[in-house]
Every structure is written in structure tokens, then in C-alpha cells.
Amino acid sequence: MYIVHMVVCSTQNHLVFSRGHTEKTTDPQLFYNLYSMQRQRYARVLACLMLLAGVLLNAQELQLVYREGVHRVDLVQISSHTYLSLNQIAGTLGLTLERQDDRILVQGPRATLELIEGRPLVRAQQEYVLLSQPVVRRGSRWLVPTDFVENVLPRILDAPLQLLPFGDNGGQEQVSVQVLNSPNRVSLVFLPSRRMLFHVEEFDRALQVRVDRRVEFLQPRVRPESSLVASMDCQTEPESTTCEIVKGFDFRSYRSTQAGDPARLLIDIYSTAMAEVDPVAPNRSTPEQRGGQVITIDPGHGGEERGVTFKGLFEKDLVAQISRHLTMELARRRLVADATRTSDFNPSLQRRSSVANGNRSSVFLSLHVGGSYSAKIRGPVVFTHAGEMAFAEKAGELTPWHQGQTGFAAQSRRLALLIQQRLNGLFGTDNLPATAPLEILAPVQGPAVLVEAGYLTNPADAEVLLQPDFQEAIAISIVDAIEEFLL
Amino acid sequence: MKTSIAALLVVIAVAAALLTYQSEKERMQEPVQEPVQEPVPELVVQPQPESAAEATTRSVKVFFFRPSVTNPGKVDLGSSTEEILHQSNPTAMALSLARAALAKSGALVGPRAGVEQVFLLEDGTAIVDLARQTAGQLRGSVACELGLLRSIARSLTTNLEEVEGVRFILGGQEAKTLAGHVSLSTVFR
């Protein structure tokens, strides 16, 4: 006979029932089933208890420093990600929440944010900010990842906001590092617990941030985009602390600024030439004042995508060579040049257009050479985009991706005509500029053209296109036209 | 204090996990009936040619790209009248027309280029599915690429009143461009 009673089990034949009664059975199978069922129930109860205790012990808080007030906000753990309650933040900072089906509007003193349930994007005025995790809704409670506070909220507040970990740091000074990943850019914000001077130095493979005292660098909660920042390593020594920001493969330029109120160091890392542009320089006029203008050059094709091929010549190689001449010529005339590729690979068309927009290019020029099954076709042709541009630009509205040329069509046509005239003079042709629905130009928000600098399939054009002097002459003609356009 | 409580919790958690694992393992050993999968219906409809007895031909205007020596950027389309097999099914007719237009532009593309399918939508848009190899077979750049697409589109819109606009896909999937230049999100008319 097997006895099942209410004492805590000590042998395989004893079990505790939660309802506290005792059963007797002679059936070994029934006993085994009861025993197995109870064991599962216990395991679940224990696991729940442990989780509850763990949550209570590890319950964390953060501090929001806003308008000289320090407010505590609770952290909510979902899977392995940390969230904050938007309702609690709004209550603390005096923001208004307005729910609309699957979205919520957050109204601040300066602007309004729009969040959509299940999406990691926040619309802030005319920009979208990418969060590290999607926005989550639990009943009437909205949860946002922690980088929402650091990267999004300051856009709608009228005073600086700081997010600090809660707890005692043993008196040691701390620097928290915040990360904002954007297309073509990573922004690093170093927020010290007390005002201090940062030294930033660039080396071949890394940027070094140094502080002449012993501080603790707090790891960022969001990882920087690895193509721009390969890694971050901070080391504390008795007299100083250094933080090494190892450059990613797409690192192109950086800009650092120290600001006060609150004291902080900002480092913007770009995959484009943006940092080489003087942000305060006017956008026009004399050569000495050209700091604000970026000319983005896009050498067509690349990698396995060879473009037009003729007698062992590849379009991708020729346009890369001409682009190098163009970049040098632009630099010689104090114009900032950026290229969508500088080696033999094929970035997507979307990425190429993104670089143009990321640079806020004064001119975007996609460089190609033409090809035709007829060897008689020759000379340069400059194309502009001719697609649907029905989008009516309104203040505060975002431009759809494929309608970036809306508002720039006339400028693009003028630029095309100027380049066409100069290149016709060089090639001795009378070709006219043309239009086509071009995937690469459609999204560019600025004057944009696609240049076919001669036909590789024409023997006369192919012969001159191979000559470095002629390639340089093409570059000079194009830059002459760009200069005339920018005047 | 916190450390010792945490350690105790870890021990409890491990014990609980072990118990759960063992019970679940026993449960899993019971045979589970697999749900019966319904066969997925075939969605692709192949246009069927008419029977040989009813076969008649129809005169159609087929367009092709004609490069211009004086103005290489201009996309000039020439046309010729061709006799193709008449089919009462407009989808089958559209497929024949698209293939005829591609064949007429033979100098532009290599022998492996082709039209796989044509789908007619209710709003008057024809979706032309080009063979994936067509992209690599194109001999030319922007004007040639645009010329090829426009010649197929014009051949369809001119000869079939059901077709008002044409969109292109590549190898059964949406693609950005055919050969790196012209946007395939465009509706050609």
C-alpha cells in the first residue's frame, strides 16, 4: 500500500497536497501519476517564488534630473530588455499623453512626439528616431526603452534632461556614456557627474577620450553601430582615465564639442564627410566661405556589378578613376567632396542616395559611362530624374522616399544643362540632357544628376576614356559646371 | 545579506528547474498526434493557348528601342506590325505580346532574356515578370534599359484595351532596377 499524506515528502512514497488531505492508494500507476503531477506543481510554485523574490531584490530605479529636480523612475524588465513607463515619465515631467488607437502622442513644451505600439520608431517633428527596442503597450501602460529618455525626450523639453543610475557610487566620479545611432552617424554623449575637461585625440585606428583624473566610465546601454564604432574600451589609471573608441570600417570623419549645462562631451562619428563641413559657414558665395557645401560623388556600379563592359574594360573601374580626379579637383577648389564608394564594392542604390541626403549635398552626381549595342552612339549624356513628383511639400510633413527630387527638379535640370554643355565642349558633341525615372536620383533631396561620361562601346570614346589626362579633363569640366551652378 | 539571499534563490531555482525538466521530459515521451496539414492551393495561373483547331492570328503593333545617334539620351521607339497567335484570354495575349516585344529588342538583350509571366490586375495594370537572367543580358546603359522597358509597356498598352499601365518584376520578385538605373517602381504607360 502507498500512502500519500500531508507531510513534506521525505521518500518517494510521501507527498504533500496543497489542499491538505491524505489519500491512500494501492495502485502504483495512480500513485506515480499523482506524484508526478504534484512535483510539477511544486516546481512551478518554487520558480514563481524565486522570480518574485529576484524581481524584488533586483528592482532598479533611475534618476531623471530635470529643472534642478531629481525624480526616480522604475525600470521594467521585459525579456532581457529594460523599459521605462512612459506614463510615469510623463507624470514626472509634466508631459501630456494623448492615445489614438495603436499610437500615442507625447506633448511637451516645445514639440510633440508620436509613438506607435510595436515599432521602434518615434516621430519627432520632421525626423524619425530609431530606438533600441520597440515601444510596448501593457493595457493602458506604455513602455519605452531607456534610450527614449536620452535620445528623444530632449527634443520636446525646454530644459536639459539627464538620466543617471540610482545608487551610491562610493564617492568616485562617474561619466555615463549615451549612444544615439542614426543613418550614417553615431553620436556619443559623455555626461560627467561633475564638470570636467575632456581631451579628444584621433589616432590611426581609434579616437581617444582622456580625463586627467580617476573616473568611472559607465557602459552605454545601447551599442553603437559597429560599422562606425568597432568597440569602446575604457581604462582607469591612478592619475587619469582614457576611453578608446575603435573606428569601424565605415568611419569617415568625426566632430567633437564640449558643452555646458549640463556639462557634457559630444562626439559625432560619420560615415560621410559631414564633419569636414563647417556647420556655421554660409552656404554660398566666395571660395573662402564654401565650408557648408558638400558635393557627393557616386561612382556607379562596383564589386561584382561591373556595369557596361567592352573589350575587357569595365565601367566600374573607369568611373572610379574619374571620381578620384573629381575628388581632387573639388578639393583643389575648396569644395568638400564625399564619395559613396572609394573601393571596389557595390553599395545599394538606397545607401548611395542616403549618403547624398546624409551630407545634405549641394550637388549629387552619379558617375557612369554609357553603353549601347550600336557602336555609333557616342558622347556624354547627363540625366535628371523624371518620375512621379506629385507630392506637395508642406511644413512639418515628411517627404516620401521616392519623391526627394520634388522641389529640386528645376535646379537639377539647370545643373544637368551646365554639365552637358561643358562635356559637349570636351567631347566635341551636341548631345542634349535627358530624363529618366532613375532609382538613385529619385530620393535625393538636392540638385542631382546622373552623368554618362561618354560611351564605352564607341571606339573613339573608349580610347580617350582610358587616358588619365582625358579623365582629368572630364573632372575639370564637371567641376567648372558645378562651380558655375553654385555661384 | 543580499548576496546570501541571492545564492539561496539560485539554489532553489536550480532545484526547481531540475524538477520541471524531469517532469516535462516524462510528459514529452508520450506520443503526440501530428496535426494534418492541408495542401496549399497552387496560386499561379498559367495562360493556356487556344486549341490548334481554333487558332487564328492577329495583327499587332510591336514597339522596339531605336538608339539615336544625334541624341543618345532620348528614348525613341520604333514600331512594326507583326502577326501573332490570337488568344481570347487577355492574359495569354499579353504574355505573347510581351514576348514579341522582347524578341523585337533582340539586339538589346542576350538569348537568355525572357518574359516568364504576365498578370493583369483589375485596375488596368499589367505586371510583367521578366526572367532573372534578363538583367545581366542587357547590352547598354540608361537609355537602353529604359528603351527596353518602354517598348514592352507600349506594346501592351497599344494593343490591349485592358492594359492601361505596366509594371515590371524580376524573377517573380519586386526589384529596384533592371540593370542598376531605371526605377522599376515606375508604372510605364
PDB file of all heavy atoms in Angstrom, chain B residues 11-42:
ATOM      1  N   VAL B  11      20.029  28.473  -5.756  1.00  0.00           N
ATOM      2  CA  VAL B  11      19.934  27.041  -5.435  1.00  0.00           C
ATOM      3  C   VAL B  11      18.506  26.550  -5.644  1.00  0.00           C
ATOM      4  O   VAL B  11      18.259  25.510  -6.267  1.00  0.00           O
ATOM      5  CB  VAL B  11      20.403  26.784  -3.979  1.00  0.00           C
ATOM      6  CG1 VAL B  11      20.114  25.345  -3.561  1.00  0.00           C
ATOM      7  CG2 VAL B  11      21.881  27.094  -3.847  1.00  0.00           C
ATOM      8  N   ILE B  12      17.527  27.348  -5.137  1.00  0.00           N
ATOM      9  CA  ILE B  12      16.118  26.965  -5.289  1.00  0.00           C
ATOM     10  C   ILE B  12      15.744  26.902  -6.762  1.00  0.00           C
ATOM     11  O   ILE B  12      15.068  25.982  -7.226  1.00  0.00           O
ATOM     12  CB  ILE B  12      15.204  27.962  -4.539  1.00  0.00           C
ATOM     13  CG1 ILE B  12      15.461  27.862  -3.028  1.00  0.00           C
ATOM     14  CG2 ILE B  12      13.734  27.693  -4.824  1.00  0.00           C
ATOM     15  CD1 ILE B  12      14.830  28.979  -2.224  1.00  0.00           C
ATOM     16  N   ALA B  13      16.229  27.894  -7.506  1.00  0.00           N
ATOM     17  CA  ALA B  13      15.895  27.944  -8.932  1.00  0.00           C
ATOM     18  C   ALA B  13      16.426  26.735  -9.665  1.00  0.00           C
ATOM     19  O   ALA B  13      15.739  26.145 -10.503  1.00  0.00           O
ATOM     20  CB  ALA B  13      16.467  29.221  -9.540  1.00  0.00           C
ATOM     21  N   VAL B  14      17.665  26.345  -9.329  1.00  0.00           N
ATOM     22  CA  VAL B  14      18.274  25.186  -9.996  1.00  0.00           C
ATOM     23  C   VAL B  14      17.464  23.926  -9.676  1.00  0.00           C
ATOM     24  O   VAL B  14      17.159  23.128 -10.568  1.00  0.00           O
ATOM     25  CB  VAL B  14      19.746  25.032  -9.563  1.00  0.00           C
ATOM     26  CG1 VAL B  14      20.320  23.708 -10.033  1.00  0.00           C
ATOM     27  CG2 VAL B  14      20.573  26.182 -10.125  1.00  0.00           C
ATOM     28  N   ALA B  15      17.068  23.789  -8.391  1.00  0.00           N
ATOM     29  CA  ALA B  15      16.280  22.614  -7.997  1.00  0.00           C
ATOM     30  C   ALA B  15      14.940  22.596  -8.739  1.00  0.00           C
ATOM     31  O   ALA B  15      14.512  21.568  -9.265  1.00  0.00           O
ATOM     32  CB  ALA B  15      16.049  22.635  -6.488  1.00  0.00           C
ATOM     33  N   ALA B  16      14.298  23.746  -8.794  1.00  0.00           N
ATOM     34  CA  ALA B  16      13.013  23.845  -9.482  1.00  0.00           C
ATOM     35  C   ALA B  16      13.154  23.511 -10.953  1.00  0.00           C
ATOM     36  O   ALA B  16      12.332  22.807 -11.531  1.00  0.00           O
ATOM     37  CB  ALA B  16      12.444  25.259  -9.320  1.00  0.00           C
ATOM     38  N   ALA B  17      14.219  24.027 -11.536  1.00  0.00           N
ATOM     39  CA  ALA B  17      14.443  23.783 -12.963  1.00  0.00           C
ATOM     40  C   ALA B  17      14.648  22.295 -13.226  1.00  0.00           C
ATOM     41  O   ALA B  17      14.111  21.745 -14.190  1.00  0.00           O
ATOM     42  CB  ALA B  17      15.642  24.579 -13.440  1.00  0.00           C
ATOM     43  N   LEU B  18      15.416  21.644 -12.336  1.00  0.00           N
ATOM     44  CA  LEU B  18      15.676  20.213 -12.496  1.00  0.00           C
ATOM     45  C   LEU B  18      14.385  19.399 -12.422  1.00  0.00           C
ATOM     46  O   LEU B  18      14.131  18.514 -13.230  1.00  0.00           O
ATOM     47  CB  LEU B  18      16.660  19.730 -11.434  1.00  0.00           C
ATOM     48  CG  LEU B  18      18.135  19.952 -11.771  1.00  0.00           C
ATOM     49  CD1 LEU B  18      19.007  19.592 -10.583  1.00  0.00           C
ATOM     50  CD2 LEU B  18      18.542  19.125 -12.994  1.00  0.00           C
ATOM     51  N   LEU B  19      13.564  19.728 -11.405  1.00  0.00           N
ATOM     52  CA  LEU B  19      12.281  19.031 -11.242  1.00  0.00           C
ATOM     53  C   LEU B  19      11.400  19.217 -12.467  1.00  0.00           C
ATOM     54  O   LEU B  19      10.815  18.271 -12.992  1.00  0.00           O
ATOM     55  CB  LEU B  19      11.551  19.575 -10.006  1.00  0.00           C
ATOM     56  CG  LEU B  19      11.969  18.988  -8.666  1.00  0.00           C
ATOM     57  CD1 LEU B  19      11.366  19.805  -7.537  1.00  0.00           C
ATOM     58  CD2 LEU B  19      11.503  17.536  -8.560  1.00  0.00           C
ATOM     59  N   THR B  20      11.310  20.448 -12.919  1.00  0.00           N
ATOM     60  CA  THR B  20      10.480  20.747 -14.088  1.00  0.00           C
ATOM     61  C   THR B  20      10.986  19.983 -15.298  1.00  0.00           C
ATOM     62  O   THR B  20      10.216  19.404 -16.063  1.00  0.00           O
ATOM     63  CB  THR B  20      10.501  22.256 -14.390  1.00  0.00           C
ATOM     64  OG1 THR B  20      10.234  22.940 -13.193  1.00  0.00           O
ATOM     65  CG2 THR B  20       9.472  22.626 -15.446  1.00  0.00           C
ATOM     66  N   TYR B  21      12.314  20.006 -15.455  1.00  0.00           N
ATOM     67  CA  TYR B  21      12.912  19.336 -16.611  1.00  0.00           C
ATOM     68  C   TYR B  21      12.542  17.855 -16.634  1.00  0.00           C
ATOM     69  O   TYR B  21      12.120  17.325 -17.644  1.00  0.00           O
ATOM     70  CB  TYR B  21      14.432  19.526 -16.562  1.00  0.00           C
ATOM     71  CG  TYR B  21      15.165  18.672 -17.580  1.00  0.00           C
ATOM     72  CD1 TYR B  21      15.129  19.000 -18.938  1.00  0.00           C
ATOM     73  CD2 TYR B  21      15.868  17.544 -17.177  1.00  0.00           C
ATOM     74  CE1 TYR B  21      15.772  18.216 -19.864  1.00  0.00           C
ATOM     75  CE2 TYR B  21      16.524  16.751 -18.103  1.00  0.00           C
ATOM     76  CZ  TYR B  21      16.479  17.091 -19.453  1.00  0.00           C
ATOM     77  OH  TYR B  21      17.115  16.307 -20.365  1.00  0.00           O
ATOM     78  N   GLN B  22      12.688  17.233 -15.446  1.00  0.00           N
ATOM     79  CA  GLN B  22      12.430  15.790 -15.374  1.00  0.00           C
ATOM     80  C   GLN B  22      10.961  15.487 -15.695  1.00  0.00           C
ATOM     81  O   GLN B  22      10.665  14.593 -16.472  1.00  0.00           O
ATOM     82  CB  GLN B  22      12.771  15.298 -13.969  1.00  0.00           C
ATOM     83  CG  GLN B  22      13.100  13.805 -13.975  1.00  0.00           C
ATOM     84  CD  GLN B  22      13.547  13.341 -12.611  1.00  0.00           C
ATOM     85  OE1 GLN B  22      13.944  14.145 -11.789  1.00  0.00           O
ATOM     86  NE2 GLN B  22      13.480  12.048 -12.380  1.00  0.00           N
ATOM     87  N   SER B  23      10.043  16.282 -15.119  1.00  0.00           N
ATOM     88  CA  SER B  23       8.619  16.058 -15.357  1.00  0.00           C
ATOM     89  C   SER B  23       8.253  16.275 -16.813  1.00  0.00           C
ATOM     90  O   SER B  23       7.515  15.501 -17.407  1.00  0.00           O
ATOM     91  CB  SER B  23       7.789  17.014 -14.500  1.00  0.00           C
ATOM     92  OG  SER B  23       8.129  16.831 -13.172  1.00  0.00           O
ATOM     93  N   GLU B  24       8.792  17.360 -17.358  1.00  0.00           N
ATOM     94  CA  GLU B  24       8.487  17.679 -18.753  1.00  0.00           C
ATOM     95  C   GLU B  24       9.032  16.613 -19.690  1.00  0.00           C
ATOM     96  O   GLU B  24       8.436  16.278 -20.695  1.00  0.00           O
ATOM     97  CB  GLU B  24       9.073  19.059 -19.135  1.00  0.00           C
ATOM     98  CG  GLU B  24       8.356  20.229 -18.502  1.00  0.00           C
ATOM     99  CD  GLU B  24       6.884  20.306 -18.904  1.00  0.00           C
ATOM    100  OE1 GLU B  24       6.591  20.282 -20.100  1.00  0.00           O
ATOM    101  OE2 GLU B  24       6.034  20.339 -17.995  1.00  0.00           O
ATOM    102  N   LYS B  25      10.201  16.071 -19.305  1.00  0.00           N
ATOM    103  CA  LYS B  25      10.821  15.030 -20.128  1.00  0.00           C
ATOM    104  C   LYS B  25       9.907  13.803 -20.188  1.00  0.00           C
ATOM    105  O   LYS B  25       9.689  13.234 -21.261  1.00  0.00           O
ATOM    106  CB  LYS B  25      12.171  14.654 -19.517  1.00  0.00           C
ATOM    107  CG  LYS B  25      13.064  13.867 -20.466  1.00  0.00           C
ATOM    108  CD  LYS B  25      14.392  13.645 -19.788  1.00  0.00           C
ATOM    109  CE  LYS B  25      15.184  12.563 -20.510  1.00  0.00           C
ATOM    110  NZ  LYS B  25      16.380  12.197 -19.761  1.00  0.00           N
ATOM    111  N   GLU B  26       9.339  13.457 -19.029  1.00  0.00           N
ATOM    112  CA  GLU B  26       8.429  12.309 -18.992  1.00  0.00           C
ATOM    113  C   GLU B  26       7.202  12.577 -19.841  1.00  0.00           C
ATOM    114  O   GLU B  26       6.728  11.730 -20.583  1.00  0.00           O
ATOM    115  CB  GLU B  26       8.010  12.028 -17.547  1.00  0.00           C
ATOM    116  CG  GLU B  26       9.115  11.353 -16.737  1.00  0.00           C
ATOM    117  CD  GLU B  26       8.887  11.489 -15.243  1.00  0.00           C
ATOM    118  OE1 GLU B  26       7.810  11.964 -14.834  1.00  0.00           O
ATOM    119  OE2 GLU B  26       9.813  11.142 -14.485  1.00  0.00           O
ATOM    120  N   ARG B  27       6.696  13.828 -19.735  1.00  0.00           N
ATOM    121  CA  ARG B  27       5.493  14.180 -20.486  1.00  0.00           C
ATOM    122  C   ARG B  27       5.756  14.130 -21.993  1.00  0.00           C
ATOM    123  O   ARG B  27       4.933  13.692 -22.784  1.00  0.00           O
ATOM    124  CB  ARG B  27       5.038  15.585 -20.082  1.00  0.00           C
ATOM    125  CG  ARG B  27       3.628  15.934 -20.514  1.00  0.00           C
ATOM    126  CD  ARG B  27       3.246  17.313 -20.029  1.00  0.00           C
ATOM    127  NE  ARG B  27       4.142  18.343 -20.514  1.00  0.00           N
ATOM    128  CZ  ARG B  27       4.079  18.863 -21.743  1.00  0.00           C
ATOM    129  NH1 ARG B  27       3.177  18.439 -22.592  1.00  0.00           N
ATOM    130  NH2 ARG B  27       4.922  19.808 -22.112  1.00  0.00           N
ATOM    131  N   MET B  28       6.935  14.585 -22.355  1.00  0.00           N
ATOM    132  CA  MET B  28       7.276  14.662 -23.778  1.00  0.00           C
ATOM    133  C   MET B  28       7.393  13.284 -24.417  1.00  0.00           C
ATOM    134  O   MET B  28       7.294  13.147 -25.631  1.00  0.00           O
ATOM    135  CB  MET B  28       8.606  15.413 -23.978  1.00  0.00           C
ATOM    136  CG  MET B  28       8.543  16.872 -23.617  1.00  0.00           C
ATOM    137  SD  MET B  28       7.563  17.822 -24.780  1.00  0.00           S
ATOM    138  CE  MET B  28       8.722  17.979 -26.113  1.00  0.00           C
ATOM    139  N   GLN B  29       7.646  12.285 -23.538  1.00  0.00           N
ATOM    140  CA  GLN B  29       7.814  10.944 -24.089  1.00  0.00           C
ATOM    141  C   GLN B  29       6.498  10.343 -24.576  1.00  0.00           C
ATOM    142  O   GLN B  29       6.474   9.384 -25.330  1.00  0.00           O
ATOM    143  CB  GLN B  29       8.457  10.027 -23.050  1.00  0.00           C
ATOM    144  CG  GLN B  29       9.964  10.261 -22.988  1.00  0.00           C
ATOM    145  CD  GLN B  29      10.617   9.612 -21.805  1.00  0.00           C
ATOM    146  OE1 GLN B  29       9.939   9.052 -20.953  1.00  0.00           O
ATOM    147  NE2 GLN B  29      11.928   9.680 -21.750  1.00  0.00           N
ATOM    148  N   GLU B  30       5.365  10.938 -24.130  1.00  0.00           N
ATOM    149  CA  GLU B  30       4.073  10.463 -24.605  1.00  0.00           C
ATOM    150  C   GLU B  30       3.930  10.804 -26.084  1.00  0.00           C
ATOM    151  O   GLU B  30       4.336  11.885 -26.518  1.00  0.00           O
ATOM    152  CB  GLU B  30       2.948  11.142 -23.824  1.00  0.00           C
ATOM    153  CG  GLU B  30       2.893  10.678 -22.386  1.00  0.00           C
ATOM    154  CD  GLU B  30       1.903  11.506 -21.577  1.00  0.00           C
ATOM    155  OE1 GLU B  30       1.089  12.219 -22.182  1.00  0.00           O
ATOM    156  OE2 GLU B  30       1.983  11.442 -20.345  1.00  0.00           O
ATOM    157  N   PRO B  31       3.341   9.878 -26.876  1.00  0.00           N
ATOM    158  CA  PRO B  31       3.214  10.167 -28.310  1.00  0.00           C
ATOM    159  C   PRO B  31       2.269  11.344 -28.561  1.00  0.00           C
ATOM    160  O   PRO B  31       1.231  11.457 -27.897  1.00  0.00           O
ATOM    161  CB  PRO B  31       2.656   8.876 -28.896  1.00  0.00           C
ATOM    162  CG  PRO B  31       2.019   8.179 -27.753  1.00  0.00           C
ATOM    163  CD  PRO B  31       2.770   8.565 -26.533  1.00  0.00           C
ATOM    164  N   VAL B  32       2.631  12.220 -29.458  1.00  0.00           N
ATOM    165  CA  VAL B  32       1.821  13.384 -29.802  1.00  0.00           C
ATOM    166  C   VAL B  32       1.331  13.236 -31.232  1.00  0.00           C
ATOM    167  O   VAL B  32       2.109  12.912 -32.117  1.00  0.00           O
ATOM    168  CB  VAL B  32       2.659  14.682 -29.676  1.00  0.00           C
ATOM    169  CG1 VAL B  32       1.804  15.893 -30.062  1.00  0.00           C
ATOM    170  CG2 VAL B  32       3.194  14.828 -28.267  1.00  0.00           C
ATOM    171  N   GLN B  33       0.018  13.455 -31.397  1.00  0.00           N
ATOM    172  CA  GLN B  33      -0.523  13.329 -32.745  1.00  0.00           C
ATOM    173  C   GLN B  33      -0.212  14.587 -33.561  1.00  0.00           C
ATOM    174  O   GLN B  33      -0.481  15.700 -33.121  1.00  0.00           O
ATOM    175  CB  GLN B  33      -2.037  13.140 -32.664  1.00  0.00           C
ATOM    176  CG  GLN B  33      -2.589  12.577 -33.953  1.00  0.00           C
ATOM    177  CD  GLN B  33      -4.058  12.263 -33.820  1.00  0.00           C
ATOM    178  OE1 GLN B  33      -4.612  12.334 -32.737  1.00  0.00           O
ATOM    179  NE2 GLN B  33      -4.668  11.899 -34.920  1.00  0.00           N
ATOM    180  N   GLU B  34       0.412  14.372 -34.705  1.00  0.00           N
ATOM    181  CA  GLU B  34       0.769  15.490 -35.590  1.00  0.00           C
ATOM    182  C   GLU B  34      -0.491  16.064 -36.237  1.00  0.00           C
ATOM    183  O   GLU B  34      -1.339  15.307 -36.694  1.00  0.00           O
ATOM    184  CB  GLU B  34       1.699  15.011 -36.710  1.00  0.00           C
ATOM    185  CG  GLU B  34       3.091  14.662 -36.245  1.00  0.00           C
ATOM    186  CD  GLU B  34       3.902  15.891 -35.871  1.00  0.00           C
ATOM    187  OE1 GLU B  34       3.685  16.946 -36.490  1.00  0.00           O
ATOM    188  OE2 GLU B  34       4.731  15.786 -34.962  1.00  0.00           O
ATOM    189  N   PRO B  35      -0.649  17.394 -36.261  1.00  0.00           N
ATOM    190  CA  PRO B  35      -1.807  17.953 -36.968  1.00  0.00           C
ATOM    191  C   PRO B  35      -1.685  17.702 -38.477  1.00  0.00           C
ATOM    192  O   PRO B  35      -0.600  17.754 -39.038  1.00  0.00           O
ATOM    193  CB  PRO B  35      -1.719  19.449 -36.671  1.00  0.00           C
ATOM    194  CG  PRO B  35      -0.306  19.691 -36.288  1.00  0.00           C
ATOM    195  CD  PRO B  35       0.212  18.409 -35.708  1.00  0.00           C
ATOM    196  N   VAL B  36      -2.839  17.411 -39.076  1.00  0.00           N
ATOM    197  CA  VAL B  36      -2.831  17.124 -40.518  1.00  0.00           C
ATOM    198  C   VAL B  36      -2.721  18.435 -41.282  1.00  0.00           C
ATOM    199  O   VAL B  36      -3.461  19.369 -41.025  1.00  0.00           O
ATOM    200  CB  VAL B  36      -4.131  16.385 -40.920  1.00  0.00           C
ATOM    201  CG1 VAL B  36      -4.122  16.054 -42.421  1.00  0.00           C
ATOM    202  CG2 VAL B  36      -4.274  15.118 -40.085  1.00  0.00           C
ATOM    203  N   GLN B  37      -1.733  18.522 -42.169  1.00  0.00           N
ATOM    204  CA  GLN B  37      -1.511  19.740 -42.954  1.00  0.00           C
ATOM    205  C   GLN B  37      -2.389  19.716 -44.201  1.00  0.00           C
ATOM    206  O   GLN B  37      -2.381  18.757 -44.948  1.00  0.00           O
ATOM    207  CB  GLN B  37      -0.040  19.798 -43.395  1.00  0.00           C
ATOM    208  CG  GLN B  37       0.907  20.027 -42.242  1.00  0.00           C
ATOM    209  CD  GLN B  37       1.381  21.464 -42.188  1.00  0.00           C
ATOM    210  OE1 GLN B  37       1.504  22.080 -43.215  1.00  0.00           O
ATOM    211  NE2 GLN B  37       1.649  21.965 -41.001  1.00  0.00           N
ATOM    212  N   GLU B  38      -3.174  20.804 -44.361  1.00  0.00           N
ATOM    213  CA  GLU B  38      -3.981  20.936 -45.579  1.00  0.00           C
ATOM    214  C   GLU B  38      -3.054  21.298 -46.743  1.00  0.00           C
ATOM    215  O   GLU B  38      -2.144  22.106 -46.565  1.00  0.00           O
ATOM    216  CB  GLU B  38      -5.001  22.068 -45.390  1.00  0.00           C
ATOM    217  CG  GLU B  38      -6.110  21.736 -44.410  1.00  0.00           C
ATOM    218  CD  GLU B  38      -7.074  20.681 -44.916  1.00  0.00           C
ATOM    219  OE1 GLU B  38      -7.325  20.657 -46.118  1.00  0.00           O
ATOM    220  OE2 GLU B  38      -7.546  19.868 -44.095  1.00  0.00           O
ATOM    221  N   PRO B  39      -3.257  20.731 -47.916  1.00  0.00           N
ATOM    222  CA  PRO B  39      -2.408  21.125 -49.042  1.00  0.00           C
ATOM    223  C   PRO B  39      -2.671  22.581 -49.433  1.00  0.00           C
ATOM    224  O   PRO B  39      -3.814  23.025 -49.414  1.00  0.00           O
ATOM    225  CB  PRO B  39      -2.822  20.165 -50.162  1.00  0.00           C
ATOM    226  CG  PRO B  39      -4.166  19.682 -49.778  1.00  0.00           C
ATOM    227  CD  PRO B  39      -4.248  19.722 -48.290  1.00  0.00           C
ATOM    228  N   VAL B  40      -1.576  23.332 -49.731  1.00  0.00           N
ATOM    229  CA  VAL B  40      -1.714  24.732 -50.114  1.00  0.00           C
ATOM    230  C   VAL B  40      -2.103  24.794 -51.587  1.00  0.00           C
ATOM    231  O   VAL B  40      -1.442  24.191 -52.425  1.00  0.00           O
ATOM    232  CB  VAL B  40      -0.376  25.477 -49.889  1.00  0.00           C
ATOM    233  CG1 VAL B  40      -0.502  26.926 -50.317  1.00  0.00           C
ATOM    234  CG2 VAL B  40       0.042  25.375 -48.435  1.00  0.00           C
ATOM    235  N   PRO B  41      -3.182  25.500 -51.905  1.00  0.00           N
ATOM    236  CA  PRO B  41      -3.585  25.547 -53.317  1.00  0.00           C
ATOM    237  C   PRO B  41      -2.574  26.310 -54.160  1.00  0.00           C
ATOM    238  O   PRO B  41      -1.949  27.259 -53.697  1.00  0.00           O
ATOM    239  CB  PRO B  41      -4.929  26.272 -53.281  1.00  0.00           C
ATOM    240  CG  PRO B  41      -4.930  27.025 -52.004  1.00  0.00           C
ATOM    241  CD  PRO B  41      -4.076  26.275 -51.039  1.00  0.00           C
ATOM    242  N   GLU B  42      -2.388  25.869 -55.364  1.00  0.00           N
ATOM    243  CA  GLU B  42      -1.474  26.500 -56.324  1.00  0.00           C
ATOM    244  C   GLU B  42      -2.088  27.832 -56.756  1.00  0.00           C
ATOM    245  O   GLU B  42      -3.247  27.896 -57.147  1.00  0.00           O
ATOM    246  CB  GLU B  42      -1.341  25.547 -57.513  1.00  0.00           C
ATOM    247  CG  GLU B  42      -0.149  25.747 -58.403  1.00  0.00           C
ATOM    248  CD  GLU B  42       1.193  25.720 -57.710  1.00  0.00           C
ATOM    249  OE1 GLU B  42       1.464  24.778 -56.959  1.00  0.00           O
ATOM    250  OE2 GLU B  42       1.958  26.655 -57.961  1.00  0.00           O
TER     251      GLU B  42
END
